[in-house]
Amino acid sequence: MKDLTKYYLDKDILFKEIKEVSVKDLGSRKKIEIFTATSVSKEYYSIFIVDAKSRFIRKNANDLIDLAQKLADFKEHNFKKKELLISSPLCSKAKKFLEENKWSVRVDFM
């Protein structure tokens, strides 16, 4: 979590609250870290961190959107900002698909 706050602080985004959500609570077995955060400017973020060795493809993007919907149902809140922080290679079609669905994709994490 310290890496996460430091990363966003470099982007001039300051959070007043960050909570980690267990993937098991959402009924998934994926290896992904999920955080919900509230910025000082009262914007609500759902942050998904993927650290894998294999390429993130379009199928993974569909699974991620489903997981975000489960998070919204679990927290009973529709998040304004949805972000994917990824350190593995990213397929261009997956990135385009996520950006069309109003996601912010940051490949330079970690």
Side-chain angles (χ1 to χ4, degrees):
M1 193 176 308
K2 192 181 276 188
D3 294 334
L4 184 67
T5 54
K6 188 175 181 179
Y7 177 79
Y8 276 102
L9 194 58
D10 291 341
K11 307 284 187 213
D12 294 327
I13 299 172
L14 186 63
F15 293 121
K16 66 179 181 178
E17 181 181 25
I18 299 176
K19 291 183 181 177
E20 185 171 5
V21 177
S22 173
V23 181
K24 291 180 182 177
D25 291 340
L26 303 178
S28 178
R29 296 178 62 198
K30 301 237 179 256
K31 295 190 179 182
I32 187 170
E33 293 180 68
I34 303 172
F35 294 93
T36 59
T38 308
S39 70
V40 177
S41 59
K42 304 232 177 178
E43 292 177 322
Y44 293 91
Y45 286 78
S46 61
I47 303 167
F48 296 83
I49 301 175
V50 175
D51 185 26
K53 294 179 182 174
S54 61
R55 181 180 290 272
F56 190 86
I57 58 175
R58 172 71 191 267
K59 177 183 172 273
N60 300 110
N62 288 334
D63 294 341
L64 188 67
I65 288 178
D66 292 340
L67 203 58
Q69 185 59 45
K70 287 180 184 178
L71 177 66
D73 293 340
F74 178 72
K75 287 289 190 175
E76 297 178 352
H77 191 282
N78 201 2
F79 295 93
K80 175 94 175 160
K81 306 247 183 186
K82 293 176 257 188
E83 301 219 351
L84 171 65
L85 303 178
I86 188 166
S87 60
S88 62
L90 178 66
C91 174
S92 62
K93 290 180 184 176
K95 183 176 181 180
K96 184 178 178 186
F97 176 72
L98 287 172
E99 288 174 348
E100 287 172 355
N101 286 299
K102 298 178 182 164
W103 278 71
S104 174
V105 179
R106 299 174 192 249
V107 184
D108 57 349
F109 187 67
M110 286 193 251

